[in-house]
Amino acid sequence: NAGVTQTPKFQVLKTGQSMTLQCAQDMNHEYMSWYRQDPGMGLRLIHYSVGAGITDQGEVPNGYNVSRSTTEDFPLRLLSAAPSQTSVYFCASRGIGGGNTGELFFGEGSRLTVL
Amino acid sequence: TQLLEQSPQFLSIQEGENLTVYCNSSSVFSSLQWYRQEPGEGPVLLVTVVTGGEVKKLKRLTFQFGDARKDSSLHITAAQPGDTGLYLCAGARRSSNTGKLIFGQGTTLQVKP
Protein backbone atom coordinates (compact mmCIF):
# COMPACT_ATOMS: atom_id res chain seq x y z
CA ASN A 1 0.00 0.00 0.00
CA ALA A 2 1.60 3.26 -1.14
CA GLY A 3 -0.62 5.62 0.91
CA VAL A 4 0.68 9.19 0.61
CA THR A 5 3.81 9.66 -1.47
CA GLN A 6 5.87 12.85 -1.39
CA THR A 7 8.77 13.83 -3.61
CA PRO A 8 11.48 14.93 -3.29
CA LYS A 9 12.55 13.90 0.22
CA PHE A 10 15.33 16.49 0.31
CA GLN A 11 15.88 19.70 -1.64
CA VAL A 12 18.26 22.64 -1.40
CA LEU A 13 17.28 25.87 -3.13
CA LYS A 14 18.80 29.29 -3.53
CA THR A 15 16.79 32.37 -2.57
CA GLY A 16 14.48 33.34 -5.41
CA GLN A 17 14.32 29.92 -7.05
CA SER A 18 10.98 28.20 -7.58
CA MET A 19 10.10 24.57 -7.15
CA THR A 20 7.20 22.16 -6.75
CA LEU A 21 6.75 19.58 -4.03
CA GLN A 22 4.75 16.65 -5.33
CA CYS A 23 2.13 14.73 -3.37
CA ALA A 24 0.06 11.76 -4.50
CA GLN A 25 -2.34 9.49 -2.64
CA ASP A 26 -3.95 6.27 -3.77
CA MET A 27 -6.72 6.02 -1.16
CA ASN A 28 -9.32 8.06 -3.09
CA HIS A 29 -9.37 10.65 -0.29
CA GLU A 30 -11.30 13.84 -0.91
CA TYR A 31 -9.29 15.93 1.56
CA MET A 32 -5.62 16.71 0.96
CA SER A 33 -3.44 19.22 2.75
CA TRP A 34 0.03 20.61 3.13
CA TYR A 35 1.65 21.39 6.48
CA ARG A 36 5.02 22.78 7.41
CA GLN A 37 6.79 21.70 10.55
CA ASP A 38 9.27 23.92 12.36
CA PRO A 39 10.87 23.36 15.78
CA GLY A 40 8.49 24.29 18.60
CA MET A 41 5.70 25.21 16.16
CA GLY A 42 4.00 21.87 15.61
CA LEU A 43 2.36 21.48 12.21
CA ARG A 44 0.99 24.59 10.54
CA LEU A 45 -1.53 24.28 7.74
CA ILE A 46 -0.49 25.93 4.46
CA HIS A 47 -3.26 25.00 2.00
CA TYR A 48 -5.90 22.33 1.78
CA SER A 49 -8.37 20.90 -0.70
CA VAL A 50 -11.67 19.06 -0.32
CA GLY A 51 -11.80 17.79 -3.88
CA ALA A 52 -10.61 18.29 -7.44
CA GLY A 53 -10.84 21.92 -8.43
CA ILE A 54 -11.35 23.14 -4.84
CA THR A 55 -8.56 24.65 -2.73
CA ASP A 56 -8.44 26.96 0.27
CA GLN A 57 -5.87 28.72 2.41
CA GLY A 58 -4.70 27.50 5.78
CA GLU A 59 -2.83 29.34 8.54
CA VAL A 60 0.35 30.22 6.62
CA PRO A 61 -0.42 30.39 2.85
CA ASN A 62 1.82 33.30 1.80
CA GLY A 63 4.52 32.33 -0.70
CA TYR A 64 2.85 29.07 -1.66
CA ASN A 65 0.43 28.02 -4.40
CA VAL A 66 -1.55 24.82 -4.83
CA SER A 67 -3.83 23.25 -7.39
CA ARG A 68 -5.98 20.12 -7.40
CA SER A 69 -6.66 18.91 -10.93
CA THR A 70 -7.19 15.27 -9.90
CA THR A 71 -8.29 13.48 -6.74
CA GLU A 72 -4.88 11.83 -6.44
CA ASP A 73 -2.45 14.75 -6.79
CA PHE A 74 -1.93 17.93 -4.77
CA PRO A 75 1.33 19.72 -5.66
CA LEU A 76 2.71 22.60 -3.59
CA ARG A 77 4.53 25.34 -5.46
CA LEU A 78 7.05 27.75 -3.99
CA LEU A 79 7.04 30.74 -6.30
CA SER A 80 10.20 32.53 -5.11
CA ALA A 81 11.91 30.67 -2.29
CA ALA A 82 12.98 32.55 0.84
CA PRO A 83 15.13 31.39 3.78
CA SER A 84 12.00 31.60 5.99
CA GLN A 85 10.58 28.71 3.95
CA THR A 86 13.30 26.37 5.18
CA SER A 87 11.24 23.67 6.84
CA VAL A 88 9.97 20.12 6.70
CA TYR A 89 6.83 19.86 4.59
CA PHE A 90 4.19 17.18 5.07
CA CYS A 91 1.38 16.25 2.75
CA ALA A 92 -1.61 14.55 4.37
CA SER A 93 -4.95 13.19 3.23
CA ARG A 94 -8.12 11.74 4.65
CA GLY A 95 -11.61 10.76 3.66
CA ILE A 96 -14.29 13.19 4.80
CA GLY A 97 -17.33 11.00 4.45
CA GLY A 98 -17.48 10.57 8.21
CA GLY A 99 -17.15 14.25 9.05
CA ASN A 100 -14.12 15.45 10.96
CA THR A 101 -13.21 12.19 12.67
CA GLY A 102 -11.24 10.38 9.99
CA GLU A 103 -7.56 9.57 10.33
CA LEU A 104 -5.16 11.93 8.62
CA PHE A 105 -2.57 9.94 6.67
CA PHE A 106 0.82 11.62 6.24
CA GLY A 107 3.61 11.29 3.76
CA GLU A 108 7.18 10.89 4.97
CA GLY A 109 7.97 14.57 4.59
CA SER A 110 10.11 16.75 2.33
CA ARG A 111 13.02 18.57 3.93
CA LEU A 112 13.62 21.89 2.19
CA THR A 113 16.58 24.19 2.78
CA VAL A 114 16.66 27.65 1.23
CA LEU A 115 20.06 29.32 1.20
CA THR B 1 -1.13 32.85 18.54
CA GLN B 2 -1.54 29.08 18.68
CA LEU B 3 -5.17 27.93 18.53
CA LEU B 4 -4.27 24.74 20.36
CA GLU B 5 -1.79 25.12 23.20
CA GLN B 6 0.08 22.03 24.34
CA SER B 7 1.95 21.73 27.61
CA PRO B 8 4.57 20.91 28.47
CA GLN B 9 6.52 21.39 25.25
CA PHE B 10 9.30 19.11 26.42
CA LEU B 11 9.31 16.30 28.98
CA SER B 12 12.21 14.09 30.02
CA ILE B 13 11.41 11.31 32.50
CA GLN B 14 12.69 7.97 33.73
CA GLU B 15 11.23 4.66 32.65
CA GLY B 16 8.30 3.68 34.86
CA GLU B 17 7.13 7.22 35.66
CA ASN B 18 3.67 8.54 34.85
CA LEU B 19 3.03 11.71 32.86
CA THR B 20 0.23 13.88 31.52
CA VAL B 21 0.24 16.08 28.43
CA TYR B 22 -2.38 18.81 28.02
CA CYS B 23 -3.98 20.33 24.95
CA ASN B 24 -5.99 23.50 25.61
CA SER B 25 -7.97 26.00 23.58
CA SER B 26 -10.52 28.75 24.00
CA SER B 27 -12.40 27.33 20.99
CA VAL B 28 -14.84 24.46 20.82
CA PHE B 29 -13.87 21.50 18.66
CA SER B 30 -16.17 18.97 17.06
CA SER B 31 -13.47 16.33 17.51
CA LEU B 32 -9.91 16.11 18.69
CA GLN B 33 -7.16 13.70 17.72
CA TRP B 34 -3.79 12.72 19.14
CA TYR B 35 -0.88 11.78 16.89
CA ARG B 36 2.59 10.43 17.61
CA GLN B 37 5.57 11.23 15.42
CA GLU B 38 8.98 9.58 15.36
CA PRO B 39 12.08 11.25 13.85
CA GLY B 40 12.12 11.23 10.04
CA GLU B 41 8.52 10.06 9.75
CA GLY B 42 5.07 11.55 9.45
CA PRO B 43 2.67 11.61 12.42
CA VAL B 44 0.51 8.55 13.04
CA LEU B 45 -2.95 8.65 14.61
CA LEU B 46 -3.32 7.32 18.15
CA VAL B 47 -6.93 8.19 18.95
CA THR B 48 -9.95 10.33 18.08
CA VAL B 49 -12.31 11.71 20.73
CA VAL B 50 -15.65 13.16 19.76
CA THR B 51 -17.95 13.42 22.77
CA GLY B 52 -17.42 15.88 25.63
CA GLY B 53 -16.14 13.99 28.67
CA GLU B 54 -15.14 10.98 26.60
CA VAL B 55 -12.31 8.78 27.89
CA LYS B 56 -10.45 6.34 25.67
CA LYS B 57 -7.72 3.91 26.64
CA LEU B 58 -5.00 2.48 24.44
CA LYS B 59 -2.94 0.09 26.57
CA ARG B 60 -1.01 2.40 28.96
CA LEU B 61 -2.29 5.58 27.29
CA THR B 62 -5.49 7.28 28.50
CA PHE B 63 -7.05 10.09 26.50
CA GLN B 64 -9.76 12.43 27.75
CA PHE B 65 -11.85 15.06 25.98
CA GLY B 66 -13.00 17.94 28.16
CA ASP B 67 -16.70 18.31 28.95
CA ALA B 68 -16.86 21.57 26.99
CA ARG B 69 -14.84 20.10 24.10
CA LYS B 70 -12.19 22.82 24.42
CA ASP B 71 -9.39 20.72 25.87
CA SER B 72 -7.93 17.24 26.04
CA SER B 73 -5.30 15.32 27.95
CA LEU B 74 -3.05 12.34 27.34
CA HIS B 75 -1.91 10.35 30.34
CA ILE B 76 0.79 7.68 30.07
CA THR B 77 1.18 5.17 32.88
CA ALA B 78 4.56 3.56 33.54
CA ALA B 79 6.28 5.15 30.57
CA GLN B 80 8.62 3.00 28.47
CA PRO B 81 11.56 4.09 26.27
CA GLY B 82 9.43 3.06 23.29
CA ASP B 83 7.01 5.88 24.18
CA THR B 84 9.68 8.43 23.23
CA GLY B 85 8.50 10.72 20.45
CA LEU B 86 6.61 13.88 19.55
CA TYR B 87 2.95 13.91 20.63
CA LEU B 88 0.62 16.22 18.74
CA CYS B 89 -3.00 17.10 19.38
CA ALA B 90 -5.15 18.20 16.45
CA GLY B 91 -8.65 19.62 16.36
CA ALA B 92 -11.44 20.06 13.87
CA ARG B 93 -13.28 23.29 14.68
CA ARG B 94 -16.50 22.73 12.79
CA SER B 95 -18.64 19.74 12.12
CA SER B 96 -18.84 20.55 8.42
CA ASN B 97 -17.08 18.16 6.09
CA THR B 98 -14.04 20.28 5.26
CA GLY B 99 -11.70 17.89 7.05
CA LYS B 100 -9.50 20.81 8.07
CA LEU B 101 -7.32 19.99 11.10
CA ILE B 102 -5.34 22.45 13.23
CA PHE B 103 -2.40 21.11 15.25
CA GLY B 104 -0.88 22.11 18.55
CA GLN B 105 2.84 22.84 18.77
CA GLY B 106 3.60 19.35 20.10
CA THR B 107 5.12 17.78 23.20
CA THR B 108 8.49 16.09 22.88
CA LEU B 109 8.71 13.15 25.28
CA GLN B 110 11.97 11.48 26.17
CA VAL B 111 11.81 8.35 28.33
CA LYS B 112 15.18 7.30 29.67
CA PRO B 113 15.89 3.65 30.55
Side-chain angles (χ1 to χ4, degrees):
Chain A
N1 295 335
V4 179
T5 303
Q6 287 182 238
T7 57
K9 286 187 168 47
F10 300 94
Q11 183 73 48
V12 179
L13 290 177
K14 293 182 179 178
T15 297
Q17 287 185 319
S18 62
M19 77 157 298
T20 299
L21 297 176
Q22 302 290 345
C23 176
Q25 53 92 9
D26 60 0
M27 297 172 282
N28 202 32
H29 285 165
E30 303 93 333
Y31 177 84
M32 295 187 74
S33 55
W34 278 101
Y35 291 88
R36 60 177 288 173
Q37 186 171 39
D38 304 292
M41 301 291 288
L43 290 162
R44 290 184 292 169
L45 183 63
I46 304 171
H47 286 285
Y48 66 100
S49 167
V50 297
I54 305 169
T55 63
D56 205 349
Q57 296 181 351
E59 303 165 90
V60 288
N62 292 341
Y64 308 95
N65 272 0
V66 292
S67 59
R68 185 92 178 270
S69 57
T70 66
T71 300
E72 295 78 19
D73 301 298
F74 190 46
L76 177 71
R77 297 181 185 85
L78 281 70
L79 307 173
S80 177
S84 61
Q85 294 178 304
T86 293
S87 187
V88 180
Y89 292 85
F90 286 96
C91 179
S93 73
R94 68 173 180 173
I96 56 176
N100 285 322
T101 61
E103 178 177 0
L104 197 58
F105 290 87
F106 286 84
E108 293 185 339
S110 298
R111 184 175 292 276
L112 175 67
T113 301
V114 183
L115 303 175
Chain B
T1 304
Q2 200 84 17
L3 185 64
L4 278 169
E5 293 282 346
Q6 280 187 242
S7 63
Q9 291 196 33
F10 184 80
L11 198 53
S12 181
I13 61 172
Q14 294 294 134
E15 182 177 358
E17 293 184 7
N18 301 332
L19 68 115
T20 301
V21 177
Y22 298 94
C23 178
N24 296 308
S25 177
S26 57
S27 299
V28 175
F29 292 91
S30 59
S31 64
L32 207 141
Q33 298 180 323
W34 286 90
Y35 290 79
R36 181 166 169 261
Q37 184 180 19
E38 299 200 21
E41 299 181 6
V44 175
L45 179 68
L46 294 173
V47 76
T48 301
V49 286
V50 178
T51 306
E54 183 176 3
V55 177
K56 281 191 173 179
K57 292 192 174 183
L58 187 66
K59 296 183 180 178
R60 294 176 292 100
L61 278 61
T62 301
F63 305 85
Q64 185 163 7
F65 201 12
D67 291 340
R69 292 188 296 159
K70 293 183 179 181
D71 55 83
S72 180
S73 64
L74 157 61
H75 182 79
I76 301 179
T77 303
Q80 304 294 312
D83 296 327
T84 293
L86 177 66
Y87 290 83
L88 295 151
C89 64
R93 288 189 69 185
R94 292 188 296 262
S95 58
S96 61
N97 284 348
T98 64
K100 179 179 171 182
L101 271 183
I102 300 298
F103 281 80
Q105 70 268 58
T107 295
T108 299
L109 172 64
Q110 181 185 56
V111 182
K112 292 181 268 190

